Amino acid sequence: MADINDNPYLAHMHDSSSNGSSTGANKAFSQLVPGQTTAAQQEAVEDSSHNGLTGAAYSSRYKSILAKRRDLPVNKQRQGFLDLVHNNQFVVLVGETGSGKTTQIPQYMVYDLLPQVEGKMIACTQPRRVAAMSVAQRVSEEMDVKLGQEVGYSIRFEDCTSSKTVLKYCTDGMLLREAMSDNMLSRYSAIILDEAHERTLNTDILMSLMKTIALKRKDIKIVVMSATLDSEKFQKYFYDAPLLTVPGRTFPVEVYYTPEPERDYLEAAIKTALQIHATEPEGDILVFLTGEEEIEEACRLLSARGDELIRRANCGPLLIVPLYSTLPPNMQQRIFHKAPEPRTPGGAPGRKIVVSTNVAETSLTIDGIVYVIDPGFSKQKVYNPRVRVESLLVSPISRAAAQQRAGRAGRTRPGKCFRLYTEKSYNNDLIEQTYPEILRSNLGSIVLQLKKLGVNDLVHLDLMDPCAPEVLMRALELLHYLGALDDDANLTPIGHMISDFPIDPQLAKMIISAADYGCTNEVLSIAAMLSVPNVFLRPREAQRRADQAKAEFAHMDGDHLTLLNVYHAYKGCTQPDKWCWDNYLQYRSLKSADSIREQLRRVAAKCDIPLVSNNFSSPDYYPNIRRALTAGYFMQVAHLERGGQYLTIKDNQLVLLHPSSVLERKPEWVVYNEFVLTKRHYIRTVSEVRPEWLLEIAPHYYDLSSFPPCEGKRVLEKLALRNAVVGDKKPKKDRSEKKEKKRKSDKEKDKDKDKSDRKKRDKKDKKDKKHSSD
DNA sequence: GAGCACTGC
């Protein structure tokens, strides 16, 4: 291998390590019997002078918080909850906003199961990291312990727990990862799944997993908590589990509908907002729109027309604030600013208008909102398994989402919600619930995780909403081509490794293959850069300057190597935030790429993947990186046809290079990272590849007999023919090719073997699919 | 010659 000093991409590399351990004596809650406590007993322990977990005297703050906790709606049902938990393995709990379920229920479980005595922890999952962190912080205060000791949290990049931890808040993805190495979750005596109504991919998988675990572990308790009244579905799914309903603590919200459908919801939203400002009493406004562009447009119009209103109608001043996730953090902070003061003392009050995407629906809470304007749309992810493309579509929201939006008006006092659609439309056109994510996603990564979790029969996988068989087939097909699954759909050694990486399977395959080409260091950086939101900024007012800045990083072989250049330059600069600003780069994305790279590096090291680089001056330095790309993304290749347009391989989709690509010269063969479906079909993040690599690296996929006719096929055929003629003279073949060859010949042999029914069915499905995609 | 709802490991 090369001298590391030759390679500018490695200048940043350094090791890091962390360690921490501590022990402490616990005093048992001597009068309590695990799994048989009463509310009165629990309260007596809480009321005593000393903390049973730490042995220390309770602080005065503890006592004042305790009084407030006793006042929460959920506390009135403490005994009822304990009765249900004692007599059932599964309990479903529906609690609206303000019920206190997220903070209190896990504590009741601690007092009931006494994890400090029994040696098994209690986990409470959250869909989002911030929630896991902030709730753990709050609960550690309520229990009068130091965060990270008895009460902690565990999220990606941060494990804030210790050997003393008895209650752990974590993201559902984190618990799922843990289950991959401990299939029975044997460290836990209870799992509490919070926000289950959101039906995120990870929650759905966890729920299914909990059913399997519960069958084999009669000692584990499972509480599923949700905020909606859609409880019957949850009860039924969990073997007719009992239900506990806890009222919330919010203010009433009056809902208004438009008498006629609105033709232009953007215009209607702006009009409504200004009308509220002119006629309604003090209180801030929250407007829900679908995306960045729409929001910026609305803010421009609002501020122009607002100014006019202020001049002509003597209204109060306006503070107009856009809100979407890619907005820089300092701009996001503006949502917490106070509404402006009247222009003159005693004049018309000022008002804040927040124009937001869905972030304000669940992730972010803005205090002081009294009026909500809901046009009834949001951008939603949809997955089309036929073309294997996930895309974002503006779609009508569900009734549940509409209720959630309306609820945002009643957090501090009674509010009003203006729906820009008719009541009839609300009742007849909107669906009850948003389709769960699992029905709208590519499942490649999920199927692999399930395999790792020990789920072998995916067809009969017990999900709350079973996914479409075609989506499963697509996932199995992808994993099979990547070499992650064998012909019996069992995990291969490579599959085990891929599943250890918390990224798309193609990306993981790319990293693993990079070892064959001596360039794991570089490919790790590229994989990290591909795992974060777009790093290139292009503000409307500085597009040319932004493009020039980007051109400085451009690599002639394509966008992947351009990303490598950016990452390297980022690591080499002294003032990263300023440097990013000067170069029109998203600092947040680069920082996050850096953490992800470190995580991937650790996983790679754990898998014994050598961390290596080629000699930087070698002519093969860059081609080898692109070979590794090909090893992961050989299924996402496009060929330039004579008409000057690209056709994707096998699917024969007409696509264009995305205008953001640095590739101006249209190479004949390209791999792409992403298929973007908007007004046109684009391929984004694209690099040139050699056709002979395709045949070498993925001969099982580039089996030309199964190819639909196209120009690209003819090129490959000629190439294959030539290879066959000169084949014997070519002594050196790379390792991965040999491996693939062997796999393929095994596959041929396998065809003659006796097969199980399921396997036959799988094969048949595959064949059918091939026909349909022709 | 264009877009990027939102999470998460």
Side-chain angles (χ1 to χ4, degrees), chain A residues 129 156 177 325 379 502 538 678 682:
Chain A
R129 294 204 292 236
R156 189 183 193 181
R177 277 280 144 187
S325 74
K379 274 192 191 169
R538 201 163 183 262
T678 50
Y682 290 106

Short mmCIF file of all heavy atoms in Angstrom, two decimals, chain A residues 129 156 177 325 379 502 538 678 682, chain B:
data_model
loop_
_atom_site.label_atom_id
_atom_site.label_comp_id
_atom_site.label_asym_id
_atom_site.label_seq_id
_atom_site.Cartn_x
_atom_site.Cartn_y
_atom_site.Cartn_z
N ARG A 129 -34.67 11.49 17.71
CA ARG A 129 -33.55 11.61 18.65
C ARG A 129 -33.78 12.68 19.69
O ARG A 129 -33.59 12.45 20.88
CB ARG A 129 -32.26 11.93 17.89
CG ARG A 129 -31.78 10.85 16.98
CD ARG A 129 -30.30 10.96 16.74
NE ARG A 129 -29.97 12.14 15.96
CZ ARG A 129 -29.29 12.11 14.82
NH1 ARG A 129 -28.86 10.98 14.33
NH2 ARG A 129 -29.01 13.21 14.18
N ARG A 156 -28.22 7.35 17.97
CA ARG A 156 -27.07 7.22 17.08
C ARG A 156 -26.03 8.26 17.48
O ARG A 156 -26.36 9.41 17.73
CB ARG A 156 -27.50 7.47 15.64
CG ARG A 156 -26.43 7.15 14.64
CD ARG A 156 -26.89 7.49 13.24
NE ARG A 156 -25.97 6.90 12.26
CZ ARG A 156 -26.10 7.03 10.97
NH1 ARG A 156 -27.11 7.70 10.47
NH2 ARG A 156 -25.24 6.47 10.15
N ARG A 177 -31.45 -1.95 16.23
CA ARG A 177 -30.04 -2.32 16.06
C ARG A 177 -29.61 -3.27 17.18
O ARG A 177 -28.90 -4.23 16.94
CB ARG A 177 -29.16 -1.07 16.14
CG ARG A 177 -29.04 -0.29 14.89
CD ARG A 177 -28.02 -0.93 13.95
NE ARG A 177 -28.50 -0.75 12.58
CZ ARG A 177 -27.95 -1.29 11.51
NH1 ARG A 177 -26.88 -2.04 11.61
NH2 ARG A 177 -28.46 -1.10 10.33
N SER A 325 -36.94 21.97 7.40
CA SER A 325 -35.81 21.35 8.10
C SER A 325 -34.44 21.74 7.56
O SER A 325 -33.47 21.75 8.30
CB SER A 325 -35.94 19.84 8.04
OG SER A 325 -35.63 19.40 6.74
N LYS A 379 -46.13 16.99 1.37
CA LYS A 379 -45.33 16.13 0.49
C LYS A 379 -45.15 14.80 1.18
O LYS A 379 -44.77 14.73 2.34
CB LYS A 379 -43.98 16.77 0.21
CG LYS A 379 -44.01 17.73 -0.95
CD LYS A 379 -42.63 18.14 -1.40
CE LYS A 379 -42.75 19.29 -2.38
NZ LYS A 379 -41.45 19.91 -2.65
N PRO A 502 -25.08 0.86 9.13
CA PRO A 502 -26.36 1.55 9.21
C PRO A 502 -26.60 2.45 8.01
O PRO A 502 -26.85 3.63 8.14
CB PRO A 502 -26.21 2.38 10.49
CG PRO A 502 -24.77 2.66 10.59
CD PRO A 502 -24.06 1.49 9.97
N ARG A 538 -27.53 26.60 -3.01
CA ARG A 538 -27.66 27.44 -4.22
C ARG A 538 -28.75 28.48 -3.99
O ARG A 538 -29.86 28.38 -4.49
CB ARG A 538 -28.02 26.56 -5.41
CG ARG A 538 -27.68 27.19 -6.73
CD ARG A 538 -27.67 26.15 -7.83
NE ARG A 538 -27.28 26.73 -9.10
CZ ARG A 538 -28.15 27.11 -10.03
NH1 ARG A 538 -29.43 26.99 -9.85
NH2 ARG A 538 -27.71 27.64 -11.16
N THR A 678 -39.45 14.02 -11.15
CA THR A 678 -40.20 15.27 -11.01
C THR A 678 -40.96 15.47 -12.31
O THR A 678 -41.63 14.55 -12.76
CB THR A 678 -39.27 16.45 -10.70
OG1 THR A 678 -38.20 16.46 -11.65
CG2 THR A 678 -38.73 16.37 -9.30
N TYR A 682 -34.82 12.32 -13.87
CA TYR A 682 -33.41 12.67 -13.78
C TYR A 682 -32.62 11.60 -13.05
O TYR A 682 -33.17 10.91 -12.18
CB TYR A 682 -33.23 13.98 -13.01
CG TYR A 682 -33.73 15.19 -13.74
CD1 TYR A 682 -34.92 15.81 -13.36
CD2 TYR A 682 -33.01 15.72 -14.81
CE1 TYR A 682 -35.37 16.93 -14.04
CE2 TYR A 682 -33.46 16.84 -15.49
CZ TYR A 682 -34.65 17.44 -15.11
OH TYR A 682 -35.09 18.54 -15.76
P DG B 1 -31.24 23.22 -21.86
OP1 DG B 1 -30.94 22.01 -22.59
OP2 DG B 1 -32.29 24.15 -22.20
"O5'" DG B 1 -31.34 22.93 -20.29
"C5'" DG B 1 -31.78 21.71 -19.72
"C4'" DG B 1 -31.78 21.93 -18.21
"O4'" DG B 1 -30.53 22.57 -17.83
"C3'" DG B 1 -32.89 22.86 -17.72
"O3'" DG B 1 -33.51 22.27 -16.61
"C2'" DG B 1 -32.19 24.14 -17.35
"C1'" DG B 1 -30.82 23.66 -16.95
N9 DG B 1 -29.76 24.65 -17.14
C8 DG B 1 -29.66 25.60 -18.12
N7 DG B 1 -28.60 26.35 -18.02
C5 DG B 1 -27.96 25.88 -16.87
C6 DG B 1 -26.76 26.31 -16.25
O6 DG B 1 -26.01 27.22 -16.58
N1 DG B 1 -26.48 25.56 -15.11
C2 DG B 1 -27.25 24.52 -14.64
N2 DG B 1 -26.82 23.92 -13.55
N3 DG B 1 -28.37 24.11 -15.22
C4 DG B 1 -28.66 24.84 -16.32
P DA B 2 -34.97 22.75 -16.27
OP1 DA B 2 -35.91 21.90 -17.02
OP2 DA B 2 -35.08 24.22 -16.35
"O5'" DA B 2 -35.01 22.36 -14.72
"C5'" DA B 2 -35.20 21.01 -14.34
"C4'" DA B 2 -34.79 20.85 -12.90
"O4'" DA B 2 -33.41 21.23 -12.72
"C3'" DA B 2 -35.59 21.70 -11.92
"O3'" DA B 2 -35.85 20.89 -10.80
"C2'" DA B 2 -34.63 22.81 -11.52
"C1'" DA B 2 -33.31 22.05 -11.59
N9 DA B 2 -32.13 22.88 -11.81
C8 DA B 2 -31.84 23.66 -12.89
N7 DA B 2 -30.68 24.27 -12.82
C5 DA B 2 -30.17 23.86 -11.60
C6 DA B 2 -28.96 24.15 -10.94
N6 DA B 2 -28.02 24.95 -11.44
N1 DA B 2 -28.76 23.58 -9.73
C2 DA B 2 -29.70 22.77 -9.24
N3 DA B 2 -30.86 22.42 -9.76
C4 DA B 2 -31.04 23.00 -10.96
P DG B 3 -37.32 20.47 -10.45
OP1 DG B 3 -37.79 19.39 -11.33
OP2 DG B 3 -38.11 21.70 -10.33
"O5'" DG B 3 -37.07 19.88 -8.98
"C5'" DG B 3 -36.08 18.90 -8.74
"C4'" DG B 3 -35.55 19.07 -7.34
"O4'" DG B 3 -34.63 20.18 -7.29
"C3'" DG B 3 -36.61 19.38 -6.29
"O3'" DG B 3 -36.21 18.79 -5.07
"C2'" DG B 3 -36.56 20.90 -6.16
"C1'" DG B 3 -35.09 21.14 -6.34
N9 DG B 3 -34.71 22.43 -6.89
C8 DG B 3 -35.41 23.21 -7.78
N7 DG B 3 -34.78 24.29 -8.12
C5 DG B 3 -33.59 24.23 -7.40
C6 DG B 3 -32.50 25.11 -7.35
O6 DG B 3 -32.35 26.16 -7.96
N1 DG B 3 -31.51 24.68 -6.48
C2 DG B 3 -31.56 23.51 -5.74
N2 DG B 3 -30.52 23.25 -4.97
N3 DG B 3 -32.56 22.67 -5.78
C4 DG B 3 -33.54 23.09 -6.63
P DC B 4 -36.22 17.14 -4.99
OP1 DC B 4 -34.85 16.63 -5.08
OP2 DC B 4 -37.17 16.88 -6.10
"O5'" DC B 4 -36.79 16.57 -3.74
"C5'" DC B 4 -37.37 16.83 -2.58
"C4'" DC B 4 -36.65 17.71 -1.63
"O4'" DC B 4 -35.31 18.05 -2.00
"C3'" DC B 4 -37.35 19.07 -1.49
"O3'" DC B 4 -38.07 19.06 -0.29
"C2'" DC B 4 -36.23 20.08 -1.41
"C1'" DC B 4 -34.98 19.24 -1.31
N1 DC B 4 -33.78 19.87 -1.91
C2 DC B 4 -33.43 21.17 -1.55
O2 DC B 4 -34.13 21.78 -0.76
N3 DC B 4 -32.32 21.74 -2.07
C4 DC B 4 -31.56 21.07 -2.92
N4 DC B 4 -30.48 21.67 -3.42
C5 DC B 4 -31.88 19.73 -3.31
C6 DC B 4 -32.99 19.18 -2.77
P DA B 5 -39.12 20.14 -0.07
OP1 DA B 5 -39.65 20.49 -1.36
OP2 DA B 5 -38.82 21.20 0.92
"O5'" DA B 5 -40.02 19.10 0.70
"C5'" DA B 5 -39.48 18.53 1.86
"C4'" DA B 5 -40.62 18.37 2.82
"O4'" DA B 5 -41.42 17.30 2.34
"C3'" DA B 5 -40.11 17.93 4.17
"O3'" DA B 5 -39.82 19.06 4.94
"C2'" DA B 5 -41.34 17.18 4.68
"C1'" DA B 5 -41.79 16.49 3.41
N9 DA B 5 -41.17 15.20 3.22
C8 DA B 5 -40.07 14.87 2.45
N7 DA B 5 -39.74 13.62 2.49
C5 DA B 5 -40.68 13.06 3.35
C6 DA B 5 -40.89 11.76 3.81
N6 DA B 5 -40.13 10.73 3.44
N1 DA B 5 -41.91 11.57 4.67
C2 DA B 5 -42.66 12.61 5.04
N3 DA B 5 -42.57 13.87 4.66
C4 DA B 5 -41.55 14.04 3.80
P DC B 6 -38.39 19.08 5.73
OP1 DC B 6 -38.37 20.36 6.47
OP2 DC B 6 -37.33 18.74 4.77
"O5'" DC B 6 -38.49 17.87 6.77
"C5'" DC B 6 -39.51 17.92 7.77
"C4'" DC B 6 -39.75 16.55 8.30
"O4'" DC B 6 -40.10 15.63 7.26
"C3'" DC B 6 -38.53 15.88 8.89
"O3'" DC B 6 -38.22 16.45 10.14
"C2'" DC B 6 -39.07 14.47 9.04
"C1'" DC B 6 -39.82 14.31 7.70
N1 DC B 6 -39.01 13.61 6.66
C2 DC B 6 -38.95 12.20 6.66
O2 DC B 6 -39.59 11.59 7.53
N3 DC B 6 -38.22 11.58 5.71
C4 DC B 6 -37.54 12.28 4.81
N4 DC B 6 -36.84 11.62 3.91
C5 DC B 6 -37.57 13.71 4.80
C6 DC B 6 -38.30 14.33 5.74
P DT B 7 -36.69 16.43 10.62
OP1 DT B 7 -36.47 17.61 11.45
OP2 DT B 7 -35.80 16.13 9.46
"O5'" DT B 7 -36.76 15.18 11.58
"C5'" DT B 7 -36.16 14.02 11.19
"C4'" DT B 7 -36.91 12.85 11.74
"O4'" DT B 7 -37.71 12.28 10.73
"C3'" DT B 7 -35.93 11.79 12.16
"O3'" DT B 7 -35.69 11.94 13.54
"C2'" DT B 7 -36.66 10.50 11.80
"C1'" DT B 7 -37.39 10.91 10.53
N1 DT B 7 -36.57 10.74 9.28
C2 DT B 7 -36.46 9.49 8.75
O2 DT B 7 -36.98 8.51 9.27
N3 DT B 7 -35.73 9.41 7.60
C4 DT B 7 -35.09 10.45 6.95
O4 DT B 7 -34.45 10.25 5.92
C5 DT B 7 -35.22 11.75 7.55
C7 DT B 7 -34.57 12.93 6.91
C6 DT B 7 -35.95 11.83 8.67
P DG B 8 -34.17 11.91 14.02
OP1 DG B 8 -34.21 12.17 15.46
OP2 DG B 8 -33.34 12.72 13.10
"O5'" DG B 8 -33.76 10.39 13.76
"C5'" DG B 8 -34.57 9.37 14.34
"C4'" DG B 8 -34.19 8.05 13.74
"O4'" DG B 8 -34.61 7.95 12.38
"C3'" DG B 8 -32.68 7.82 13.67
"O3'" DG B 8 -32.24 7.38 14.93
"C2'" DG B 8 -32.61 6.72 12.62
"C1'" DG B 8 -33.74 7.08 11.66
N9 DG B 8 -33.29 7.78 10.47
C8 DG B 8 -33.14 9.13 10.31
N7 DG B 8 -32.70 9.47 9.13
C5 DG B 8 -32.56 8.26 8.47
C6 DG B 8 -32.13 7.97 7.15
O6 DG B 8 -31.76 8.78 6.28
N1 DG B 8 -32.14 6.61 6.88
C2 DG B 8 -32.51 5.63 7.77
N2 DG B 8 -32.45 4.38 7.33
N3 DG B 8 -32.92 5.88 9.00
C4 DG B 8 -32.93 7.21 9.29
P DC B 9 -30.69 7.41 15.21
OP1 DC B 9 -30.56 7.46 16.66
OP2 DC B 9 -30.08 8.45 14.37
"O5'" DC B 9 -30.23 6.00 14.69
"C5'" DC B 9 -30.76 4.83 15.30
"C4'" DC B 9 -30.20 3.65 14.59
"O4'" DC B 9 -30.56 3.74 13.20
"C3'" DC B 9 -28.68 3.57 14.64
"O3'" DC B 9 -28.30 2.43 15.40
"C2'" DC B 9 -28.23 3.42 13.19
"C1'" DC B 9 -29.50 3.23 12.41
N1 DC B 9 -29.52 3.99 11.13
C2 DC B 9 -29.45 3.29 9.93
O2 DC B 9 -29.37 2.05 9.96
N3 DC B 9 -29.46 3.99 8.78
C4 DC B 9 -29.55 5.31 8.78
N4 DC B 9 -29.56 5.93 7.62
C5 DC B 9 -29.62 6.04 10.00
C6 DC B 9 -29.60 5.35 11.15
#
